Amino acid sequence: MQINVEALSKVKKKISFEIPADRVTAEIEKAYDEIRKQVAIKGFRKGKVPQALLEKHYSDRMADDVLKNLVNETYFSTLKEHKIFPVAHPLIDSDVLKKGENFKYSATVEVFPEIEVKDYIGLSVKKEKYVRDEAVIEKRLEEMREGMAQLEPVTGRAAALGDFVTIDFKGFLAGVPFAGGEATDHVLELGSGRFIPGFEEQLVGMEVDTEKDITVTFPAEYGSEDLAGKEVTFAIKLKEIKAKELPPLDDEFAKQFGEFETLADLKAKLTEMHDLREKERIDADLRDRVVKALIEKNEIEVPETMVERQLDMMLESTKRRLANQKLSLAVMGLDDESYKVQFKSVAEQQVKGSLLLDALSGQEKITVGEADVEARLKKIAEENGQPFERIDAFYKQNQQTMDNLVAQVKEDRVVEFLLDKATVSEVDKSEI
């Protein structure tokens, strides 16, 4: 048997095989013998079907069986002998099988690149200087006030923007009521923009127990073809006006959130949480920057299969995140294919980073011990409010999940090594 290994690129190899005629013939006969034992043709006992009939009716099945056997017996042993480590199944291209003739086939595979990481000591990276934004804390307090607001009836004045009004309404298109255009005791916040443009603004100035006809035009892109772009009239009756009453920002307000005795305590906690989130964001950004700097010093070719896998994971993660917000890719103006086109370069950078970090861990002999894994599991338990024992048991019972965790811990340690050896400059956010 002749075998030739050809490097098509740094991440793709073509392995060509030529199998001697005598072995091909033996495999073909063996395959037909197995088929003869299994098939039944009218007029012949099982196992007694003539060779000519088998060749007429089952040549395709024979070819599939022989090709599978020959590939299994030659391809995998060649991978081991030549130390080829594919990242996915091969693309097989073969000749037609014929008795008495040599058989040629080739297997094209993508492989992990051989990487020697260079110039990784002294990488120059920028880190955002953390400056606390007090306005963010104040905004969060206002959001909490909004969440605790009460709606109180209003008397003695007309409806204004920001009020909540209770209305009955009925819509007419060319004088005829239309489906879905009627409601009773509907509560609407004036100025919220939830209704057709121009609807809410025309309720401003109405008083309780008054009626009014208003005219609006549905947007051209409105979901109903019968109404899109059409002018309609709504008969409105305003039944109640309520205004939002915000609680004062004082110690009593703070106590409603549990563990706080004073407003100062609540502000301190909000500040602490904001500081933690921002510092985590800055650290994550710094990590991305040092990996990007490593890639710039070590441009490598990566297997397309690995990029596609990364894209698939990114896509599914994005879909889950959007679903949790009751959204979809369509809201972003994307579908699966356009998402992959838009984010392919991101996936490629992530694969390059992972391969370089893995290679560097080997060069610098960076390993992960039991203490490292235990520390990470304790952190996960704390972040999720779960007993360490439960988290520990879960990971130990799920080997793939544990392997992924170990890989992530190792990657984090390599990044820490890079940052420890890097030149890090703190700069204002505007420079990032």
Side-chain angles (χ1 to χ4, degrees):
M1 181 175 65
Q2 297 179 16
I3 299 173
N4 180 58
V5 178
E6 177 186 1
L8 302 180
S9 72
K10 292 182 179 179
V11 293
K12 186 176 288 188
K13 293 181 184 295
K14 181 178 181 180
I15 314 171
S16 299
F17 301 83
E18 184 171 356
I19 300 172
D22 57 347
R23 184 173 178 185
V24 173
T25 299
E27 287 291 338
I28 291 174
E29 291 175 351
K30 178 182 174 184
Y32 275 131
D33 286 343
E34 288 298 317
I35 294 171
R36 183 181 286 109
K37 294 175 185 177
Q38 299 170 19
V39 302
I41 295 180
K42 190 174 181 179
F44 299 95
R45 287 181 296 165
K46 199 170 186 178
K48 299 297 182 179
V49 179
Q51 183 76 13
L53 281 179
L54 289 177
E55 292 177 359
K56 179 180 179 180
H57 294 290
Y58 295 98
S59 60
D60 288 345
R61 177 173 167 181
M62 175 278 298
D64 289 342
D65 291 346
V66 171
L67 180 59
K68 182 170 67 175
N69 289 338
L70 289 175
V71 169
N72 285 340
E73 291 176 11
T74 58
Y75 170 71
F76 293 104
S77 60
T78 301
L79 292 182
K80 185 176 180 180
E81 179 183 350
H82 290 265
K83 296 181 179 179
I84 299 171
F85 304 101
V87 300
H89 295 299
L91 177 64
I92 301 294
D93 184 30
S94 66
D95 291 344
V96 177
L97 283 161
K98 293 181 181 179
K99 276 187 178 181
E101 294 185 14
N102 290 355
F103 172 66
K104 296 178 181 180
Y105 84 90
S106 65
T108 303
V109 294
E110 287 193 303
V111 297
F112 290 97
E114 295 180 4
I115 301 173
E116 180 185 356
V117 190
K118 300 177 180 178
D119 301 326
Y120 54 88
I121 301 296
L123 294 172
S124 179
V125 289
K126 293 179 180 180
K127 179 181 180 181
E128 179 186 332
K129 186 186 299 181
Y130 176 54
V131 178
R132 182 183 299 154
D133 185 354
E134 298 292 347
V136 174
I137 311 301
E138 296 302 322
K139 181 181 178 182
R140 178 60 186 137
L141 281 171
E142 284 303 312
E143 290 172 351
M144 294 168 73
R145 284 183 79 200
E146 290 281 344
M148 301 293 288
Q150 300 292 323
L151 294 179
E152 299 294 340
V154 172
T155 58
R157 70 167 174 82
L161 288 176
D163 287 341
F164 288 76
V165 296
T166 302
I167 58 174
D168 296 343
F169 63 84
K170 189 170 185 177
F172 299 86
L173 174 62
V176 179
F178 58 85
E182 183 177 2
T184 300
D185 292 332
H186 183 83
V187 178
L188 175 64
E189 181 183 6
L190 300 184
S192 65
R194 293 176 183 170
F195 263 40
I196 309 157
F199 186 102
E200 297 170 20
E201 291 80 358
Q202 295 185 66
L203 304 189
V204 173
M206 289 186 68
E207 297 183 352
V208 174
D209 293 330
T210 62
E211 298 182 12
K212 179 180 181 181
D213 289 347
I214 65 173
T215 301
V216 296
T217 301
F218 277 91
E221 66 276 9
Y222 191 69
S224 169
E225 292 184 5
D226 295 335
L227 296 173
K230 301 292 179 62
E231 183 179 87
V232 299
T233 299
F234 282 96
I236 309 292
K237 180 178 180 180
L238 193 147
K239 304 168 78 172
E240 186 178 38
I241 303 171
K242 288 185 176 181
K244 187 185 293 184
E245 295 289 338
L246 299 176
L249 277 176
D250 55 20
D251 292 345
E252 290 304 314
F253 173 80
K255 289 176 182 178
Q256 295 179 71
F257 294 92
E259 60 192 82
F260 310 106
E261 289 296 323
T262 67
L263 181 60
D265 292 339
L266 176 58
K267 283 186 175 181
K269 186 62 176 180
L270 292 175
T271 300
E272 177 188 336
M273 293 170 62
H274 175 65
D275 288 350
L276 179 62
R277 283 194 300 269
E278 282 297 284
K279 288 175 181 176
E280 287 177 345
R281 177 187 63 78
I282 289 170
D283 287 344
D285 179 70
L286 178 61
R287 171 198 167 96
D288 290 343
R289 288 178 177 280
V290 78
V291 173
K292 183 179 179 181
L294 182 68
I295 294 172
E296 290 173 352
K297 296 285 187 180
N298 295 268
E299 189 57 45
I300 59 172
E301 186 178 354
V302 295
E304 189 66 24
T305 302
M306 295 185 72
V307 176
E308 288 297 323
R309 286 176 187 164
Q310 184 66 21
L311 264 176
D312 287 339
M313 288 191 292
M314 289 167 57
L315 175 60
E316 291 308 310
S317 176
T318 299
K319 285 182 175 179
R320 285 195 301 271
R321 189 167 62 252
L322 288 171
N324 289 336
Q325 302 172 46
K326 302 188 185 307
L327 299 173
S328 66
L329 280 180
V331 176
M332 302 167 62
L334 298 171
D335 57 20
D336 286 11
E337 289 308 311
S338 57
Y339 177 95
K340 289 184 176 182
V341 170
Q342 183 168 330
F343 291 99
K344 182 175 181 179
S345 60
V346 176
E348 187 173 357
Q349 288 296 99
Q350 291 180 355
V351 172
K352 286 180 179 180
S354 293
L355 289 174
L356 285 168
L357 292 175
D358 183 64
L360 186 54
S361 71
Q363 286 179 220
E364 290 291 338
K365 297 181 174 52
I366 297 173
T367 58
V368 174
E370 291 184 7
D372 300 309
V373 175
E374 183 176 321
R376 180 60 59 90
L377 290 175
K378 286 180 178 178
K379 183 178 180 182
I380 293 172
E382 182 180 349
E383 290 174 347
N384 289 275
Q386 296 287 331
F388 166 73
E389 292 74 18
R390 180 179 298 176
I391 298 297
D392 184 52
F394 171 79
Y395 276 85
K396 287 180 177 176
Q397 291 167 10
N398 296 272
Q399 190 58 49
Q400 183 62 51
T401 306
M402 177 62 85
D403 291 344
N404 290 340
L405 178 72
V406 171
Q408 185 60 59
V409 173
K410 179 186 284 188
E411 194 169 282
D412 290 345
R413 290 200 61 196
V414 178
V415 172
E416 290 170 6
F417 168 84
L418 287 173
L419 288 171
D420 185 56
K421 304 294 184 181
T423 300
V424 179
S425 305
E426 279 201 325
V427 297
D428 291 335
K429 187 174 184 178
S430 59
E431 295 185 42
I432 294 292

